[in-house]
Every structure is written in C-alpha cells, then in structure tokens.
C-alpha cells in the first residue's frame, strides 16, 4: 500500500483519529543488513569450520587418513613441547633446581603424556588434548619454593629438596585429582562458584605476568623472581638476548589472534628456530659459539629414562612439608577447578554442542590422579589445541595416541632440548602465554566487567604481587565481598503479577488470550517482577524462585547434558537437581507456560557471574521446554552485561529475530530476548500465542493491528448506524444498546480519517493533546 496509512478520525470535543497502517512494527523499526557469512581459507589438510549444524554422525564420517592423524599429532606436539619446557622453568625456578632442569623438563613432558592418556581413554571428546596446564603453575612453583627455602634454611641438601618436591607436588596433584573426581561424580561443583570471577581474573593475569617474567629469564639465562630483577634488561647483552624472544612472542600473539587458519601458528613456531639456525649457518657461527654467547643452553650429559626414577629418594623426603603446603594446595584446587570449567565451557561453545561439565570434570580429575601417581603435575583440557583438532575434522583417538608416542620419544631421547634449542625461542613460548593472558585478563576483560569488578581484578593482581599468592587471592575475595555488600542495599525479590499488553485485539483473538494466554489456573503467558540486585551470591536463589514460579523441573538427562559458558552457570544444575524433586512432590503437575516475561526495571544490579549462571542457564532450560523467555525494562548497564556475555543476542540480531519469528521463519535460540518496555514484551507474547492458535491463516495479518481487520468487516456491513458505532462496540467488547449507538452516531460530524506514512510521528511527548486516536488498521510504536 505504498507504506501509507489510512486513518479515520472523528471530532469528539477533541478530534478523533483512527490510524491505518504502518510498514514496520515496534519490534522491527530498525532495518538490518544481511549477516555477512565469514569464512577462512584453509590449507588442504584443514577443513573449514562449518556454519550449518551438522550431526555428530556426520562429523564422525568426515574423511581423514592415517597421514592426517600423524600430521595433526605432530602439529600439537610442536605447539606443546616448547611451552612444557617453559612450564618446567616456571615450576622449578628456584636456583636449587637448576642442575637438574633437563630431567625436570622431561618429567613435565612425561606428566603431559599421562594426562593425554587419561583424556584419550576417558574423555567423551575423541579429539581431546590435555597436558600440564598453566592454571596450577604458580601454586606448584610456590610449593616448590617453600620446600626449597625451608629445607635449605634448616641445613638440608639439594637432594633432599629434589626428593621432597617430587613427592609433595605429585601427591598434591593426585589429591586434587581425587577431589575433582568426587566433585564431578556427586555433581558438587557449586563450590567453585563461590570464588568471584574478578578474583580468578586477577590470578590469571598474574600467571601471565609470571610467564612473561619466566620467559625473559629463560632468554637471558638468569633467574628473575622479583620486580627488581627486570634491571637485568639494562645490561646491553641481556637486552640483546631478550629482544628476539619478546619480538617472537609478539609475532605468535598476533598470529594466534588474527590468523584465519589454525595451521599458521604451528608453522610459525617451526619457522622461528629454523630461521635462527639459518642465520647461524649463513654467519658461519657454530653451536658452541652460540652457546658461549648465551643463545643456546649449556651442554649437559644425556638424560636416560632411569635418571627420572633416581631423582626421588624416599629416605630424603621431609614429610612435614605436606602440612606447610596445605593452604597453597586448597587455593590450587579452587583455581584449577575453575579454569577447567572455563576450558570445558569454551570447548562446548566453540563446538556449538552441550557438554556435561561434571562428567568432563571427572575426566580431568582422573588425569590429575594418574599424573600424580606417576610423579607428575596438574593439568587439564588445553582449549586451543582441542579446538584445533576438532576443526580439522580428524576426530580420532589415534591423534592422542601419536601425541603420547611423541612425548615418550622426547622423554627417552638422549638429546637435551635445552642444549640445542635457542633459548629465546623457548622463552618466547612462555612470553607468548604471558602476553595472551595479560591481554585477555587486563585488557579484553575490561569490556565485560563493571568498573568496580575490574578494580577488584586489578586489586587481586597487585595484591598477589605484594603479599603473595595465597593471601593475595584471599584479599581479593574480601574486597569482592565488601564491594557487593557496599553496592547491595536490599535483597532481590520476585513476584508474580497479572498484567496484559495495551494492544487492542479482535473478539476472536481476545477470546484466544482469555482461554489460553491468561487462563486463571493455567496461563500460557505469565509476568514476573524481579527487583533488587542479582549477583554471584544470590543468582542461585533467584533462579530457583523463577523456576518455582514457572513450574519448571529438571530431569536427570537434562542435568547430565546441560552446560554453560561459565562454570558458575554449569554448577547451578547440581543444586537444581535436588530442588526439582521437591517441586515435583509439592505441586501437582500442570502444563508449563509458553511465554515468560520478566520485568527487571527494578533490578538495579547484575554482575558477570549472575548474568551467565542465572539468566543464561535459565534461557537454555526454557528452550528445552519450548518456553520463550523475555526480559523487559532493563537498565542500560544490565542490558550491556547480558549482551556482552552473549546471554542475549546483539541488538541488530535480536531485531531481525523478532521480525522472523513473527513470520514463522525462525525458532527459539536459547537466548534471553530483551524488550524496552513490559507492555511491548507482553504484546509480542500475545502475537506469538495468537499466531500459534491461528495456524493456516497466514501471518501478514499479525504484523498489523487486529482492530483493522475487525473494523474492515464492520465498515463493509449494511447497517443503519455509522461505522464509528461498530468501532466502539469492538473496543468495548460488548454489545451497545440502541440508545448508546444513537448517541455515538451523534458525534459523527466530529469524525475524520487521516493517513500517516511509515515512520511519521503522530504526536510528540509533552505536546498539547488535541485529538483522541483509535488505531483502525496497522501498528503504532510508542
């Protein structure tokens, strides 16, 4: 109709206007460009990541050969081994360990072999990659340094330090693995959610700094344990040795973040040392000369496998050190569990498929238990390498088998990698990890946290530097609690209210809403009002209350299958498991609502933990039950939090989804859909309900006001009364008496019709009212 709007108006003391059609509803007033499909050019060996949803059976049928398996295993080893050697230098950074670094580095690699064995045997992911992980490094290093300092101060020998460290650290790893298995088996990972995300972020940022410091120390061949040690870089020769490592790490960081193809990073990691050797050859420099200049580690005798066994003499072990390391071990348990939850959730998100966090945590626990029994160290899923292998399409456990074979070859080989590999390259792998962690947890995270949360993160980061790791994390938790207590003036509350939209519907549609949408005992549209703050300490309670109001219970299968991008969210399921049984016993089973609208206009605070754990998890549960979950009246900071953590769609995507769902071109998406006002959300719910109960009638009529349809019929009917009478009859939803009809006919001289174009304002806020408007056809956005 050329985007014009026909309107009828009658002057009733104030002119009456009945407005016809608007081209766009309030849900789709903003146009969207088509989503641009992104693709990455892959090497022949790499399969591009598919945009469509393929089944697991299809993925298992992707073609790969034995050669592919070997190549991908080699790529994973190339990525992992330099970093593992760097990890060894982090854990054993005390000077007393330096004479045995070759053996200790191989012990870390052997520990990664055991982790990979556990993931290959027990993980639900056939392409899972697991090694010694960065999350526990600082705790292991702290325990190793405590053991070394105490024993040496008491007059003990280096052999006692080595033996005690290689017993206490593996015992801690095995105990940690056992606890993780129990937590996963009994679905008790809620414990992890009590450590706020900003505190964990501060710790992970400190790991980044520690890796950066250790990487530079490896480059220059000097120990760096305090901030004052950075003064070594003022020496020209040390600066010369460190500069290639810093630059190489920068190159690796840029590649990891910008490269479209996953094969670029391992190629770069092979190219860097190859280029070094090429320079030596072109400059006629021998390895001994490079070693004398500090570019390569000192030459040491070969390390046969039996030397790894002889490192430990149980007669020299100081068993009293277990008690001294207990506090550090407790901190390591929380952080490793949290980091593993993040890795599992990240893998799940990248795959686009749910993973059972508790089940996968049992696998992580088993790998740590086995590693500890084999004198190894803490580890978990390696997100980057697991996703790399997944994207190749080579979903075979043989990849893990060949990775283990490569690790075993490195361990039994008489070659000491530290004696032949350029130190700046080994250091650059640690610096690369440091760059990445510092950027992610000091720069990128700023866009996802409120200012006070970010200040808690920075406070934790600085506190660990000043007062140590254990007390630094504890201090960060205290600051986080104080922050939330200070910002929380009242507790959150949830109430169910009876409200309807302000839309005017035809009699048929109004009857549908009465019988189905707002039925007194079994409504399909319910409205909840949520007020007060929702944060990491109250999100479980809020989620339970919402599910109680909805009547939503969680089955055992759903408990095992659901997960979320945040460990806070996934751990809430274990609590729901207990509460769901209570709800089933307490209430008779009724059909669930179809549309749930939550008015959050009085919810003044929502933090990062609650955004994912409460609303993100609730949206996924509702999607499984076929329930649409809407939120309305959000404060800007709350809306930003939900969108930035992908609990809700981006604004442009949301507008497009709303338009598509009204045309039956879209389905539920497991997201929380946002609306500016409560009445807009209710009208959207009513439209969808009417659409579902009016199948076969087409959908274009739902994009227009239903008043227009009922009145168009009335206008064409034969009658002695003016059509304005029938308009009022439908609006009031009751039959008028003849006297009332005659009275309304009397105002016909004041009646007039007006046409408005799409987007044309009808009246403005704070202007003098000069008309009474009734929508005859179309939709009006306020």
């Amino acid at each position: 109709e050329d985007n014009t709007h026909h309107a009828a108006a009658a002057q009733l003391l104030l002119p009456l206007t009945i407005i016809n059609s608007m081209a766009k509803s309030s849900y789709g007033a903003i146009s969207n460009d088509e989503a641009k499909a992104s693709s990455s050019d892959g090497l022949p060996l790499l399969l591009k990541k598919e945009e469509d949803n393929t089944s697991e059976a299809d993925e298992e049928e992707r073609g790969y050969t034995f050669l592919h398996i070997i190549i991908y295993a080699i790529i994973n080893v190339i990525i992992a081994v330099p970093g593992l050697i760097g990890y060894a230098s982090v854990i054993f950074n005390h000077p007393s360990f330096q004479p045995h670094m070759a053996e200790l580095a191989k012990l870390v690699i052997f520990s990664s072999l055991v982790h990979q064995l556990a993931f290959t045997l027990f993980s639900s992911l056939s392409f899972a990659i697991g090694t010694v992980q960065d999350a526990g490094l600082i705790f292991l290093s702290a325990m190793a340094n405590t053991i070394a300092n105490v024993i040496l101060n008491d007059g003990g020998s280096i052999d006692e330090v080595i033996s005690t460290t290689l017993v206490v650290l593996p015992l801690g790893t095995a105990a940690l693995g056992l606890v993780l298995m129990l937590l996963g088996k009994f679905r008790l990972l809620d414990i992890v959610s009590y450590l706020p995300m900003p505190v964990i972020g501060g710790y992970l940022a400190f790991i980044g700094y520690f890796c950066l410091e250790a990487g530079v120390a490896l480059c220059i061949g000097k120990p760096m344990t305090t901030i004052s040690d950075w003064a070594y870089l003022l020496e020209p020769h040390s600066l010369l040795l460190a500069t290639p490592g810093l630059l190489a790490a920068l190159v690796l960081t840029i590649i990891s973040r910008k490269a479209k193809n996953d094969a670029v990073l391992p190629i770069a990691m092979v190219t860097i040392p190859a280029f070094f050797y090429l320079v030596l050859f072109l400059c006629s420099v021998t390895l001994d000369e490079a070693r004398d200049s500090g570019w390569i580690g000192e030459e040491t005798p070969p390390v046969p496998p039996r030397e790894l066994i002889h490192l430990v003499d149980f007669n020299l072990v100081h068993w009293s050190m277990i008690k001294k390391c207990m506090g550090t071990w407790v901190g390591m348990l929380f952080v490793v569990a949290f980091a593993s939850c993040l890795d599992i959730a990240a893998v799940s998100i990248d795959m686009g498929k749910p993973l059972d966090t508790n089940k996968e945590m049992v696998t992580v626990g088993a790998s740590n238990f086995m590693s500890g029994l084999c004198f190894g160290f803490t580890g978990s899923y390696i997100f980057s390498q697991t996703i790399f292998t997944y994207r190749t399409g080579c979903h075979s456990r043989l990849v893990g088998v060949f990775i283990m074979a490569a690790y075993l070859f490195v361990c039994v080989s008489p070659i000491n990698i530290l004696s032949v590999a350029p130190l700046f390259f080994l250091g650059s792998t640690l610096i690369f990890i440091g760059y990445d962690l510092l950027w992610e947890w000091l720069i990128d995270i700023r866009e996802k946290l409120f200012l006070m949360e970010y200040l808690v993160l920075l406070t934790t980061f600085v506190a660990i530097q000043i007062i140590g790791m254990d007390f630094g994390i504890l201090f960060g938790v205290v600051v986080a609690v104080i922050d939330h207590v200070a910002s929380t003036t009242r507790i959150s509350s949830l109430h169910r209210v009876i409200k309807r939209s302000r839309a005017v519907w035809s009699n048929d549609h109004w009857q549908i809403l009465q019988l189905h949408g707002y039925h007194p005992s079994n409504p399909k549209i319910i409205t909840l009002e949520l007020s007060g703050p929702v944060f990491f300490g109250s999100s479980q309670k809020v989620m339970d209350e919402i599910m109680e109001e909805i009547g939503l219970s969680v089955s055992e299968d759903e408990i095992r299958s659901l997960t979320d991008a945040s460990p806070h969210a996934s751990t809430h399921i274990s609590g729901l498991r207990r509460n769901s049984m209570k709800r089933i016993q307490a209430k008779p089973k009724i059909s669930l609502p179809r549309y749930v609208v939550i008015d959050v206009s009085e919810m003044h605070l929502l933090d990062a933990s609650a955004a994912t754990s409460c609303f993100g998890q609730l949206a996924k549960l509702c999607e499984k039950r076929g329930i649409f979950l809407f939120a309305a009246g959000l404060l800007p900071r709350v809306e930003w939090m939900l969108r930035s953590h992908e609990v809700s769609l981006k604004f442009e995507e949301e507008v497009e989804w709303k338009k598509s769902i009204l045309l039956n071109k879209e389905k539920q998406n497991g997201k929380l859909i946002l609306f500016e006002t409560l009445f807009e959300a209710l009208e959207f719910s009513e439209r969808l309900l009417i659409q579902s109960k009016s199948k076969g009638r087409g959908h274009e009529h739902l994009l227009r006001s239903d008043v227009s349809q009922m009145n168009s019929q009335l206008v064409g009917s034969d009658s002695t009364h003016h059509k304005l009478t029938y308009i009022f009859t439908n609006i009031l939803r009751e039959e008028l008496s003849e006297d009332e009809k005659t009275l309304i006919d009397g105002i016909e001289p004041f009646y007039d019709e007006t046409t408005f174009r799409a987007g044309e304002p009808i009246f403005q806020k704070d202007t003098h009212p000069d008309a009474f408007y009734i929508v005859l056809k179309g939709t009006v956005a306020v």
Side-chain angles (χ1 to χ4, degrees):
E1 298 179 346
D2 297 328
N3 291 334
T4 58
H5 311 281
H6 304 289
Q11 313 248 341
L12 174 61
L13 300 181
L14 294 175
L16 173 69
T17 305
I18 300 178
I19 304 148
N20 208 340
S21 165
M22 292 185 72
K24 297 182 183 290
S25 71
S26 58
Y27 319 115
I30 298 179
S31 62
N32 292 288
D33 296 331
E34 291 293 328
K36 297 181 180 179
S38 61
S39 62
S40 59
D41 297 330
L43 293 178
L45 291 175
L46 291 177
L47 297 177
K48 296 178 182 178
K49 185 177 179 182
E50 297 293 333
E51 294 295 333
D52 57 324
N53 296 324
T54 56
S55 65
E56 291 185 13
D58 293 336
E59 290 186 353
E60 293 295 335
E61 293 177 358
R62 288 180 177 178
Y64 55 83
T65 66
F66 192 72
L67 178 61
H68 288 87
I69 293 174
I70 295 177
I71 290 175
Y72 297 139
I74 292 174
I75 291 174
N76 276 291
V77 172
I78 290 173
I79 295 174
V81 170
L84 294 176
I85 295 174
Y87 287 170
S89 67
V90 171
I91 298 172
F92 305 105
N93 64 344
H94 194 277
S96 60
F97 298 111
Q98 299 311 306
H100 299 279
M101 275 308 300
E103 297 97 315
L104 295 174
K106 288 193 175 183
L107 191 58
V108 172
I109 295 174
F110 181 75
S111 176
S112 297
L113 184 154
V114 177
H115 281 293
Q116 184 59 57
L117 174 62
F119 286 112
T120 301
L121 292 176
F122 306 126
S123 176
S124 63
L125 305 176
S126 59
F127 47 85
I129 306 296
T131 67
V132 173
Q133 191 196 40
D134 53 8
L137 289 183
I138 310 302
F139 291 97
L140 294 172
S141 177
M143 288 189 283
N145 278 276
T146 298
I147 293 170
N149 291 329
V150 171
I151 292 177
L152 293 178
N153 289 338
D154 291 343
S157 65
I158 291 181
D159 289 339
E160 291 177 84
V161 172
I162 297 293
S163 295
T164 304
T165 302
L166 294 186
V167 169
V168 174
L169 267 61
L171 279 179
T173 298
L176 179 143
L178 184 61
V179 173
L180 291 182
M181 284 193 291
L182 293 175
L183 291 176
K185 180 67 176 178
F186 295 102
R187 317 189 78 83
L188 299 174
L189 283 171
D190 302 71
I191 297 173
V192 180
S193 67
Y194 288 99
L195 203 57
M197 182 185 293
V199 175
I200 295 294
Y203 167 74
L204 293 176
F206 178 74
I207 290 181
Y209 169 78
F210 201 86
C211 287
L212 173 62
E213 186 179 62
V216 173
L218 189 57
C219 290
I220 65 177
K222 296 179 180 180
M224 295 178 60
T225 56
T226 64
I227 295 178
S228 60
D229 290 333
W230 286 95
Y232 286 133
L233 296 185
L234 298 178
E235 302 173 5
H237 185 66
S238 295
L239 180 61
L240 178 64
L241 293 175
T243 299
L246 294 169
L247 294 178
L250 182 61
V251 171
L252 295 177
T253 302
I254 294 174
I255 289 175
S256 68
R257 291 181 171 271
K258 301 296 184 180
K260 300 296 185 180
N261 193 296
D262 293 320
V264 178
L265 182 60
I267 291 174
M269 297 186 73
V270 172
T271 303
I272 291 172
F275 181 75
F276 171 77
Y277 292 123
L278 178 62
V279 172
L280 292 185
F281 175 77
L282 295 177
C283 296
S284 300
V285 177
T286 65
L287 288 179
D288 290 335
E289 292 173 337
R291 187 174 291 112
D292 293 338
S293 299
W295 293 104
I296 301 176
E298 295 181 1
E299 190 171 10
T300 58
V303 181
R306 63 177 180 272
E307 289 295 329
L308 300 182
I309 301 175
H310 294 159
L311 284 174
V312 178
D313 184 348
F314 287 96
N315 294 322
L316 300 177
V317 174
H318 290 229
W319 298 101
S320 61
M321 295 306 303
I322 294 178
K323 183 179 179 180
K324 294 183 180 296
C325 295
M326 187 59 66
T328 305
W329 178 86
V330 173
M332 183 171 69
L333 170 63
F334 273 90
V335 171
V336 170
F338 189 96
S340 297
C341 286
L342 288 178
D343 287 331
I344 294 169
V347 171
S348 175
I349 291 173
D350 198 277
M351 292 172 56
K353 298 177 182 178
L355 291 176
D356 187 336
T357 303
N358 286 283
K359 180 179 179 181
E360 297 304 326
M361 190 58 70
V362 172
T363 302
V364 174
S367 74
N368 281 277
F369 183 72
M370 293 168 58
S371 175
L373 294 182
C374 297
F375 298 96
F377 313 102
T378 60
S380 182
Y381 283 98
I382 303 302
F383 164 70
S384 58
Q385 291 177 246
T386 298
I387 290 304
F388 164 75
T389 308
Y390 166 72
R391 291 178 180 178
T392 64
C394 192
H395 301 172
S396 171
R397 298 187 189 272
L398 288 176
V399 174
V401 172
F402 280 103
I403 289 175
M404 289 186 286
Y407 287 158
L408 183 61
F409 173 78
V410 174
C411 291
V412 302
S413 172
I415 300 175
N416 178 13
I417 297 179
L418 289 171
S419 299
V420 296
L423 293 179
F424 82 85
F425 169 66
L426 298 177
S428 70
T429 59
L430 274 179
I431 298 172
F432 162 49
I433 296 171
Y435 283 164
D436 196 64
L437 287 173
L438 287 171
W439 182 268
E440 180 178 358
W441 291 102
L442 291 182
I443 307 300
D444 280 351
I445 196 66
R446 179 63 189 93
E447 301 298 324
K448 297 184 178 182
L449 297 177
F450 292 129
L451 177 60
M452 287 307 300
E453 288 183 303
Y454 185 66
L455 292 177
V456 171
L457 187 152
L458 293 179
T459 300
T460 304
F461 174 70
V462 174
I464 293 175
Q465 301 269 13
I466 298 174
I467 60 178
M469 184 175 53
D470 297 339
F471 290 105
I473 292 177
L474 180 61
F475 184 78
V477 172
V478 172
V479 173
V481 171
I482 293 174
D483 168 53
H484 280 288
V485 170
S487 61
T488 304
T489 57
R490 64 183 189 276
I491 62 173
S492 58
S493 62
L494 183 76
H495 303 284
R496 186 166 176 173
V497 296
I498 300 176
K499 290 189 176 181
R500 302 180 62 149
S501 77
R502 294 172 176 172
V504 181
W505 303 104
S506 68
N507 275 333
D508 290 342
H509 291 171
W510 186 78
Q511 289 297 330
I512 289 175
L513 295 178
Q514 285 295 100
L515 294 176
H516 301 283
Y518 302 105
H519 190 277
S521 60
N522 189 21
K524 293 301 178 183
I525 302 174
I526 67 172
T527 304
L528 305 174
E529 287 185 349
L530 179 60
S531 60
V534 180
F535 54 96
F536 73 89
S538 65
S539 57
Q540 174 73 70
K541 172 178 172 291
V542 171
M543 185 174 179
D544 286 345
E545 290 179 348
I546 294 175
M547 293 182 65
E548 183 77 21
E549 290 291 343
I550 298 175
L552 185 64
S553 60
V554 185
S555 68
E556 289 290 333
D557 290 338
E558 287 173 322
I559 292 172
R560 288 191 291 268
S561 64
L562 283 174
T563 190
D564 195 84
S566 166
H568 291 71
S570 60
T571 54
H572 279 280
I573 296 300
S574 56
L576 298 176
R577 186 172 185 265
R578 298 186 296 270
N579 296 334
S580 63
M581 295 303 298
K582 297 178 182 178
R583 285 193 289 272
I584 292 175
Q585 296 171 1
K587 290 187 176 182
K589 184 175 181 180
I590 60 173
S591 61
L592 297 173
R594 179 68 171 162
Y595 310 97
V596 177
V597 180
I598 305 177
D599 182 2
V600 295
S601 57
E602 297 299 321
M603 184 179 71
H604 60 273
L605 174 65
L606 178 71
D607 69 0
S609 302
T612 53
S613 64
C614 180
F615 292 103
Q617 192 66 60
L618 185 62
K620 291 183 180 296
L621 287 171
C622 287
E623 180 192 23
K624 282 184 165 290
R625 297 296 192 187
I627 300 173
F628 289 85
L629 186 64
F630 304 145
L634 297 88
L635 295 176
R637 57 185 287 165
V638 173
E639 178 180 355
W640 168 81
M641 180 62 70
L642 292 171
R643 295 195 194 278
S644 65
H645 284 272
E646 300 180 351
V647 175
S648 300
L649 296 171
K650 295 185 182 302
F651 180 79
E652 294 79 9
E653 295 173 351
E654 190 174 75
V655 171
E656 192 65 28
W657 181 87
K658 290 175 182 177
K659 293 198 297 186
S660 298
I661 197 72
L662 287 175
L663 296 173
N664 265 349
K665 295 180 180 179
E666 190 61 73
K667 298 180 180 179
Q668 287 179 269
N669 52 20
K671 301 290 185 180
L672 178 66
I673 305 302
L674 309 182
F675 292 86
E676 185 175 357
T677 67
L678 173 62
F679 297 106
E680 182 185 3
L682 288 171
E683 182 180 344
F684 190 85
S685 302
E686 293 170 358
R687 287 184 183 276
L688 292 180
L689 179 62
I690 293 171
Q691 175 177 295
S692 66
K693 299 298 181 181
S694 307
K695 292 183 179 179
R697 297 181 55 196
H699 308 291
E700 290 299 327
H701 69 287
L702 289 172
L703 296 178
R704 305 189 304 269
S705 171
D706 293 85
V707 182
S708 64
Q709 297 175 44
M710 64 182 179
N711 288 335
S712 62
Q713 298 174 359
L714 294 170
V715 170
S717 62
D718 295 329
S719 175
T720 58
H721 296 286
H722 192 270
K723 63 180 180 180
L724 188 60
T725 302
Y726 293 92
I727 293 173
F728 274 96
T729 300
N730 282 279
I731 291 175
L732 298 176
R733 302 189 187 283
E734 62 182 17
E735 187 64 26
L736 300 177
S737 65
E738 285 297 317
D739 291 338
E740 291 171 332
K741 292 180 180 179
T742 302
L743 178 62
I744 294 176
D745 287 342
I747 64 174
E748 189 273 337
F750 305 99
Y751 170 84
D752 192 17
E753 293 187 357
T754 306
T755 299
F756 292 85
R757 295 185 177 276
E760 182 181 356
I762 300 169
F763 57 84
Q764 303 286 349
K765 182 180 179 181
D766 297 328
T767 57
H768 178 70
D770 59 356
F772 178 78
Y773 299 93
I774 297 178
V775 178
L776 177 63
K777 185 179 181 182
T779 305
V780 177
V782 180

